Amino acid sequence: FDQPNRFFASTHQAPLFPWKGLESDKGTDMNILNVPLKKDSTRAEFLEAWDSKILPAVRKFDPDMIFVSAGFDAHVDDPLAGMCIEEEDFGILTRRIAELANEVAAGRLVTVLEGGYDPNALGRCVEEHLKGLSETALPTEEQRTRTKSDSKPKAGPKMLYSRQEIDAMDKTSIRAELGKLGLPTSGKLEALKERLGQVPG
């Protein structure tokens, strides 16, 4: 929540227990992306959430490693939730995540089983997940040897405050400016400085 060098993203049914993961929950450094899906969301809506929002956001963050909490309770047969996802959709998504890991993280990808409460459906989902991992090509030599400096630097937008201006402010002043901008005001001083420094002019 308050660690800007980590990025978290999730799709999940909402509203539903444990009543967390709101779209407005963005972390103290805008490093959380929740994409809640309504009850009875379709397979197409599920994959669209990943293709149009989560995968591009992860690509932009450019992580060194991707960790997947592989939960399958969105399956149509699962008794806990009420979504319409099939096991094949989890296989499709697994391949896309693995390909993205090749692209940005030299193939460094860890997946851990999380949820799924219909044993038969869970078994089929895990099988598709493992097939998706095993059938994705290994990273190329170029992807394995890529360094972050290989990325072409982009000219950043003009910021509202310079680093020198921010360094001259105390914590109370920084919080006041963040509050005026409608941004979160909690966190350690360095995180607050970083947040204010990301505000475009």
Side-chain angles (χ1 to χ4, degrees):
F1 186 83
D2 60 354
Q3 300 182 48
N5 61 339
R6 293 185 173 95
F7 179 80
F8 172 87
S10 173
T11 51
H12 44 269
Q13 182 179 323
L16 189 69
F17 178 84
W19 320 114
K20 296 180 180 179
L22 301 177
E23 191 172 2
S24 58
D25 296 339
K26 299 181 183 297
T28 57
D29 290 275
M30 309 300 169
N31 55 329
I32 292 177
L33 175 60
N34 285 306
V35 186
L37 298 172
K38 64 182 184 300
K39 184 178 183 293
D40 297 322
S41 287
T42 65
R43 305 170 69 179
E45 290 170 326
F46 172 72
L47 292 174
E48 173 64 17
W50 282 86
D51 288 340
S52 67
K53 296 182 179 180
I54 292 182
L55 295 179
V58 174
R59 180 176 289 108
K60 182 178 179 181
F61 186 76
D62 199 23
D64 296 320
M65 180 178 287
I66 295 176
F67 291 85
V68 176
S69 180
F72 301 108
D73 41 344
H75 191 277
V76 64
D77 292 339
D78 196 276
L80 180 63
M83 296 177 66
C84 302
I85 316 306
E86 300 282 356
E87 56 264 25
E88 293 85 0
D89 303 309
F90 291 113
I92 291 169
L93 178 57
T94 298
R95 289 174 180 84
R96 292 177 185 172
I97 293 173
E99 290 167 357
L100 180 59
N102 285 347
E103 178 186 337
V104 302
R108 290 184 287 267
L109 172 64
V110 176
T111 76
V112 179
L113 181 62
E114 183 197 327
Y117 304 96
D118 179 280
N120 293 326
L122 176 60
R124 298 195 304 273
C125 289
V126 170
E127 182 178 1
E128 287 294 323
H129 180 62
L130 293 175
K131 282 172 59 179
L133 293 172
S134 64
E135 293 174 1
T136 301
L138 294 174
T140 64
E141 179 66 20
E142 180 181 1
Q143 289 171 332
R144 287 196 301 270
T145 58
R146 169 185 178 264
T147 62
K148 300 303 180 182
S149 60
D150 291 335
S151 303
K152 294 182 180 179
K154 299 178 181 178
K158 182 180 179 182
M159 297 295 111
L160 185 61
Y161 296 95
S162 69
R163 185 66 196 187
Q164 291 77 12
E165 290 173 322
I166 294 173
D167 285 339
M169 298 181 188
D170 60 20
K171 193 171 186 178
T172 301
S173 300
I174 294 174
R175 281 179 166 166
E177 294 303 312
L178 289 169
K180 291 177 186 176
L181 296 165
L183 295 173
T185 59
S186 61
K188 296 181 179 179
L189 179 58
E190 285 306 313
L192 295 174
K193 288 182 176 181
E194 183 70 21
R195 193 174 309 142
L196 190 58
Q198 293 175 353
V199 177

